[in-house]
Structure formats: structure tokens, C-alpha cells
Amino acid sequence: MRKNCKNKFWRFTQSAAVLFLCMGLASPVNAALAAESAQSAQSLQEAERELQGALENQKAAQEKYNQGSMGFVEWMMAKDGLTQLQKKDLEQAKTILSEACEENFSRWYGGKDTGLPENRKDKVTCLWDDNDAASLKNTKASFPILKNINKIRQEDQNYVGAMRRNPGETNFYVMAIAQTGADRGAGLTRHSRLQISCENLAFGYKNPEDGWNREVTAFNQLKESLGMSVLSKESDVKAITDLADAQKKTVTHYTNLFWSADQVMGIGVTDYGSYGTTSCYNATAKSNYENKYAIYTIQQFEKLFMEYYATVDPDVMQARVDAAQQKLNDQKAQQCTGHDFVMQQASPGAGKTTKTCTKCGYTQEAALPTAITKVTWWKNDSAASEPANYQIGDEIKLEVAGEVPADSADNQAYVIEVSNPSVAAVSDSENGSYAGILTITGSGSTTVTVYAKYDPSVKQEYTLSVNSKGNNAQAETKIGTVFSAGSLQYKVTGSSEVTVTGLSQKKPKTVNIPDTVARGKTKYKVTAIAAKAFSYTDVARVTIGANVKTIGSAAFKGCKKLSAADIRSKKLVTVGKDAFKGIYAAAKIKVPSAKYAAYQKLLQNKGQGKKVKIVR
């Protein structure tokens, strides 16, 4: 009897425990799940707040960034412990900038067209405009020019007696005059009329030193013609400039270097005006400013600027937003029960895109084909690299292979299209192992296009012709087709010509660009290297074949390891801008002996350093 009671009691307590667990009243598992869920929700809220904060900071920083030099001046004015000289310097700079922002070119130009964008309303300076000299972008660009000016002043030997030039210095006031002077000069296409003691508008030059470098040779020739081996007094400079005027030679940009052994200088660079990029160089004797305004070395002033720029740098702010967004995405992804990704269309030739989960919004990068390397036409389990000898009723399975930088889900999807369905129809492969199936439906001609689903620019095209007997299908590769052979990728540019567009392998150290390349039964001459074809790769040696006529802009830009280039072509007629910029500093470019003189000129100023040698 007692035994039965114990069994009944055990069954009761066991049932109660199950009941409590089902009700969630006493389950440690449920409590842990609830705590984990609350923690996830809290982490998600924190990530959302972090992203919102990053976006607000980015907006505030952009507003400051749009204030250009005025924002820099006001940031400096807000600092504690400024001296009276610093305050006076900053007040003068703010006045110059404010007045230029209010001034209209009609004061100087009589209503004529300044060539400036309409939304500026012909204002001399617009702080929000990134192309103005007063923008932070162009202020930042002025420091390398200021440093180069000092380098020229230090190295130049045409100084008068003991007045050897010391490094020029700067301040907010002179920089404001130079910047608004550049903006004004760009609209006027002449001097800005704001000079302090010396002013040079370098119309058409990226910076004033370009003008000086062009004129130093003429200056030295005139000096020698006057029997001067060195300059001994300031009147020597005037004698040379007078002779230059008489002979209608320009040396006055170069002689700006003579302005005072100690000077305060400023540079303004603007991207507007009929002359394109315009630089304004202002200078005054340091004695005019000492004990009146604060003066800084170029390095000191640049350090102040970069301290301010770090607080408004658009790239830094965007990076913070991106990091916060990624953190939020990761939080969402952790809580998503099975992603349902949708792939986005890519920019042409990008080689990558993004895919986004429709459930949680998580975004992930995906690699895409950069070229279609092979299309195999399967008929009755027999493979052919080109279509041929098909009859009406034949089914052809198309297998497509592409050059893909990395594996990623659904990144090698291809589409088959035909222009004339009465000749061939397209259907999907049942198991997805083929890009599509063609069925020959009648005689005639049709274009068959094979392209990457998410980047239609990666494609190959065929012209398929079937005669009235329905058994003589032929194909030809169309212009624009991209294919790979060996370590290189090519693009068909003519019936028998191709251009090298880049690498088909990741990191070959040696590249041999051949005279010809075969695709199927067709042999193509390799006549060009595309713009940016090998830029920023690890290529160390390159041989350029005998049929190359063109090397595109930036073709080898940033190839820091490229130490040897062997140009075997005698047909080369065009080498684009910056084709060899940033290659190995002591690289050698070998050219045919018969073309040595011509190629030296052709390869001049293509971005390579001064130590790069052209040899034969």
C-alpha cells in the first residue's frame, strides 16, 4: 500500500514539473532564452543609436567642411590662449574671405561671362564650392606647392649678393588673399588686383613653379649675354628683365623668386576659369608683417590645418558611418533565421556587387565574373568551343566559364539571349548545370549573346547562321567580345585586332604581351594596351609585343615593382598620360635601337620618375 502511494506521488510531481515547464514558469532554459533575447534587443538598439550618432556627426562635419577656409579660420579663432598677433591675423583673414563671398564679378567684369557655373551667381568666392581656392580640398593642395617654392628658393643660384633666399613663411591673412585672388583671377582671366607687394597668376599652370621652371633657362641665357656669371646687385635683375622685355621674352614669373630674402607667402589654387586650373602666388617682405600679424612656418601652418581637417574629413566621417552600419548589419544578421539574399546589379566591369537579405537587411559583398573565359557548345554530349554543323531540331547546351576573383554564392549566373527566336530558341537548364539550352528552330541568322546575369557588360556575342537546308550553322566572334588566353585578358576591337585589358590571373610577376593571340580558328594581332590595364598590380617585368601601337593612360600606373619593360614594337605611336607613373624608381624601359630618339620623346613625361632610364 505504501509502495503504491509513493508511485502515485512520483507520477504527480513529474507531471507537475512538465506542466510548469510548458507554462514557462520554472524553466532555466526559457529564462536563458529570454535573457539572450533581451541582450540581443539591447545590442541592436545600441548599434542603431551608434549609427544615428555617426550620421549626425557626419552631417555636422560636412556643414563645417563646406565652410572651407572660413571654417578653418573660425576653428582657430575659438582656440584659447591666442596672442594679439594671432587674433589680428585671423580677423584680417576672415574679413578678406567674407568680402570675397559677397562680391560679384560685375564690379570688375562689366557683366561679361566669367565662365563660372550659373549657381554661383558670379560670386568671386563660394565657400561651399569644392573647386574654389578657399575650399578645404584646394587649401590642402596648396601645401605641396608652398614646400616646392621653398625648395626652389633654397636651391636656385640666381640670388643677389648676400641676399640668399630663406624659406618663405605664411599666415591666415596672406593665404586668404591668395585664395580669393585665385578665384578672382579665374573669373577675370587676369591679375586679381589684390596683390600685397607681389602677385603672380599662373594661368594654365597647375602651380606657379611650372612657369618659373620654363623661364629660368631664358633668364640664364640673357644673364650670360650681358656678360654676367653671377648676380651681384639688384640692378642686375632689372637689366635682365629689361632685356627680356626688349626681346619679348617672359622671365617675370621666375623673377618672383627674388622677392625678398625673407618673405611671407600664400598660394591659392582654383579649378575654375577659362584657363583651367589657376594658381595665385602672393608674397610680401617679412619686415612688413613682423610685430603686426602672427607668422608661421609652412610646416606649422600645415600642421594646424591638418589638425582641423581631421575633425571634418569626409573620408573619416564616411568610414565611421560605414563601420556603424556594418555593426548594425552584423547585429541584424545574428538574429536572422536563415538569410534570403537578393543580388544587386553591378557597375560595368566592377567584378563585385552586394547581396542583401530581404529578411534582415544584412548586406554582404559578392564577387562577379570579370570576363567570360570559355563557352562550350554541347551537342549530344560532344563538346565544341565554337558552334558549327547544327540542324533544325538540334539542342545545344551552353556551358559558360568565367574569370571570378573569389567564390561567392550565385555569383556565376549567366544569361543566354537570341535576337531571332525563329532561328533558335532558349530554354533553361533543368538542374542549372548549364547557362541555357538552344534549340535550332529554323533557317536564317540570329545573334546569340552570353552575358553575366549581374553585369551585362561581361559578355560574348556570336552570329549564328543556318542555311535553308538547316545544316550549316557557323559563328564568328563579334567586336567587343572579351576573352582570356594565358595570363592576359583581351577585348576584340576589329576583325583581326585585340586590346590587352588586364590580367586573367591574380598576381603574375612577369607579363609577356604577345605579337598575336589565337581564339578558336582566328588569330588576332595584339595592337593596344588598355588604359589602367595593369595599374597597381605586382607586375615586375613586362615585354610588349611587336604589333602594339598604343599604350593607354595609366596602363602601368602604381606598379611599384615594375623594374624592366621591354618594348619590342616599332609601331608605337601613342603613350597615354601617366602610363608609367609610380613604377620602380630606377626602372629601365628598353626600346628598339632604330626608334630610340623617337621613343625617348614619346615616353617623355609619362609619369615615371627622373631616375627611370630609356635604353636600347
Side-chain angles (χ1 to χ4, degrees):
M1 181 72 181
R2 184 175 296 176
K3 183 177 181 180
N4 289 338
C5 287
K6 287 179 66 176
N7 287 340
K8 288 180 181 180
F9 179 77
W10 180 85
R11 286 195 297 270
F12 169 76
T13 54
Q14 185 183 49
S15 300
V18 171
L19 178 62
F20 287 141
L21 287 172
C22 291
M23 293 175 65
L25 297 177
S27 169
V29 175
N30 277 357
L33 289 173
E36 184 178 344
S37 177
Q39 180 64 42
S40 296
Q42 182 179 351
S43 297
L44 187 63
Q45 290 174 354
E46 288 176 357
E48 288 173 342
R49 284 195 296 269
E50 188 174 328
L51 175 59
Q52 184 60 36
L55 288 169
E56 290 173 358
N57 288 339
Q58 183 185 45
K59 182 180 179 182
Q62 186 63 48
E63 290 174 355
K64 285 286 186 182
Y65 181 89
N66 290 342
Q67 289 300 305
S69 287
M70 184 68 83
F72 179 33
V73 169
E74 291 178 342
W75 170 83
M76 186 68 183
M77 293 178 84
K79 280 182 171 288
D80 293 329
L82 294 178
T83 67
Q84 289 303 312
L85 294 181
Q86 285 178 309
K87 292 177 181 179
K88 188 173 181 181
D89 174 43
L90 290 162
E91 288 166 0
Q92 290 281 38
K94 186 171 183 178
T95 298
I96 291 291
L97 291 168
S98 299
E99 289 177 353
C101 289
E102 295 299 322
E103 184 181 343
N104 190 290
F105 274 105
S106 60
R107 174 184 174 187
W108 308 99
Y109 220 55
K112 294 181 182 178
D113 182 17
T114 58
L116 300 175
E118 187 176 344
N119 61 351
R120 289 171 58 99
K121 302 186 186 302
D122 278 343
K123 292 293 183 183
V124 169
T125 292
C126 291
L127 295 174
W128 52 263
D129 195 328
D130 224 27
N131 290 309
D132 262 25
S135 72
L136 294 188
K137 179 193 78 173
N138 281 334
T139 302
K140 191 177 181 181
S142 70
F143 294 115
I145 301 174
L146 288 165
K147 291 175 183 177
N148 280 337
I149 291 171
N150 274 342
K151 183 180 179 182
I152 291 171
R153 283 170 58 84
Q154 181 183 9
E155 295 177 353
D156 191 81
Q157 296 302 308
N158 283 324
Y159 57 91
V160 179
M163 199 175 78
R164 188 179 184 93
R165 294 172 292 278
N166 296 316
E169 297 174 290
T170 192
N171 63 10
F172 287 88
Y173 181 22
V174 177
M175 283 294 288
I177 289 179
Q179 289 175 342
T180 56
D183 290 335
R184 186 176 285 101
L188 297 175
T189 60
R190 62 175 182 265
H191 282 77
S192 71
R193 304 184 185 184
L194 271 185
Q195 59 264 40
I196 303 174
S197 300
C198 157
E199 177 189 47
N200 169 48
L201 264 293
F203 295 128
Y205 296 126
K206 289 186 177 179
N207 59 64
E209 73 171 273
D210 293 340
W212 298 334
N213 289 336
R214 289 192 183 189
E215 294 170 18
V216 64
T217 301
F219 182 90
N220 286 333
Q221 288 172 348
L222 292 168
K223 182 178 71 173
E224 290 173 10
S225 71
L226 291 172
M228 300 177 190
S229 57
V230 295
L231 302 177
S232 60
K233 52 187 180 299
E234 291 188 45
S235 59
D236 290 347
V237 179
K238 186 176 187 308
I240 293 171
T241 55
D242 288 345
L243 182 58
D245 290 341
Q247 295 184 9
K248 296 184 178 179
K249 293 181 180 179
T250 304
V251 296
T252 49
H253 297 101
Y254 170 66
T255 55
N256 276 318
L257 284 174
F258 293 105
W259 188 259
S260 184
D262 297 286
Q263 69 172 30
V264 182
M265 62 183 182
I267 284 288
V269 182
T270 185
D271 299 322
Y272 277 141
S274 302
Y275 288 89
T277 299
T278 298
S279 297
C280 178
Y281 167 61
N282 271 101
T284 185
K286 187 175 179 179
S287 58
N288 294 334
Y289 270 21
E290 283 182 307
N291 303 318
K292 296 178 183 177
Y293 306 98
I295 301 174
Y296 307 86
T297 67
I298 303 304
Q299 289 74 17
Q300 288 171 337
F301 196 81
E302 182 182 26
K303 184 179 179 181
L304 278 174
F305 175 82
M306 294 309 299
E307 183 183 343
Y308 170 67
Y309 191 81
T311 67
V312 297
D313 187 344
D315 293 335
V316 171
M317 297 302 154
Q318 186 60 52
R320 291 174 182 172
V321 169
D322 292 343
Q325 182 66 66
Q326 187 60 51
K327 184 176 179 179
L328 178 60
N329 287 347
D330 291 343
Q331 289 292 334
K332 289 181 177 179
Q334 290 175 13
Q335 299 181 43
C336 185
T337 55
H339 292 301
D340 182 15
F341 283 115
V342 174
M343 195 84 73
Q344 306 299 312
Q345 289 298 126
S347 300
K352 61 183 179 180
T353 186
T354 56
K355 56 182 183 180
T356 304
C357 176
T358 57
K359 295 180 180 178
C360 67
Y362 179 65
T363 299
Q364 193 176 57
E365 189 172 278
L368 295 176
T370 55
I372 293 175
T373 56
K374 186 177 181 182
V375 177
T376 305
W377 302 63
W378 291 88
K379 175 195 170 188
N380 300 328
D381 296 325
S382 296
S385 59
E386 302 285 351
N389 299 321
Y390 301 137
Q391 297 182 359
I392 294 174
D394 280 346
E395 283 190 349
I396 305 97
K397 298 173 182 177
L398 270 64
E399 182 180 5
V400 183
E403 181 67 33
V404 183
D407 292 333
S408 184
D410 201 26
N411 68 357
Q412 294 199 60
Y414 298 95
V415 176
I416 313 296
E417 289 184 352
V418 295
S419 61
N420 188 352
S422 65
V423 175
V426 182
S427 58
D428 295 330
S429 171
E430 289 184 4
N431 58 10
S433 57
Y434 299 97
I437 300 173
L438 284 177
T439 302
I440 306 300
T441 55
S443 61
S445 179
T446 187
T447 298
V448 179
T449 304
V450 182
Y451 64 87
K453 181 176 180 180
Y454 300 104
D455 183 359
S457 72
V458 177
K459 66 180 179 180
Q460 288 195 22
E461 291 184 340
Y462 301 86
T463 300
L464 189 65
S465 299
V466 180
N467 64 20
S468 58
K469 295 181 181 179
N471 61 0
N472 190 26
Q474 296 177 342
E476 60 182 13
T477 303
K478 280 199 166 187
I479 291 175
T481 296
V482 176
F483 67 94
S484 295
S487 63
L488 299 177
Q489 184 174 290
Y490 301 89
K491 183 176 182 179
V492 179
T493 53
S495 59
S496 60
E497 295 184 353
V498 294
T499 291
V500 178
T501 58
L503 296 170
S504 62
Q505 297 176 2
K506 288 186 178 180
K507 293 184 178 180
K509 297 292 188 292
T510 300
V511 170
N512 293 309
I513 298 173
D515 301 344
T516 61
V517 63
R519 183 173 189 271
K521 298 178 181 179
T522 306
K523 182 180 285 187
Y524 296 95
K525 289 183 178 180
V526 183
T527 59
I529 302 170
K532 301 181 181 179
F534 301 98
S535 61
Y536 298 100
T537 62
D538 291 332
V539 172
R541 303 179 68 88
V542 61
T543 299
I544 297 174
N547 291 317
V548 172
K549 300 176 183 178
T550 301
I551 299 176
S553 300
F556 296 97
K557 183 178 180 181
C559 295
K560 296 180 181 180
K561 298 180 182 179
L562 181 57
S563 60
D566 185 358
I567 301 176
R568 298 183 177 179
S569 174
K570 297 180 182 179
K571 303 175 182 178
L572 191 63
V573 293
T574 303
V575 179
K577 181 181 178 182
D578 293 338
F580 293 97
K581 184 174 183 179
I583 65 173
Y584 181 65
K588 292 182 179 179
I589 302 176
K590 186 178 180 182
V591 301
S593 296
K595 290 288 185 178
Y596 181 68
Y599 282 11
Q600 268 197 322
K601 185 175 181 181
L602 184 62
L603 292 167
Q604 189 176 8
N605 298 325
K606 301 306 177 185
Q608 64 269 28
K610 294 180 180 179
K611 294 182 180 180
V612 174
K613 294 182 179 179
I614 312 297
V615 299
R616 49 188 165 185

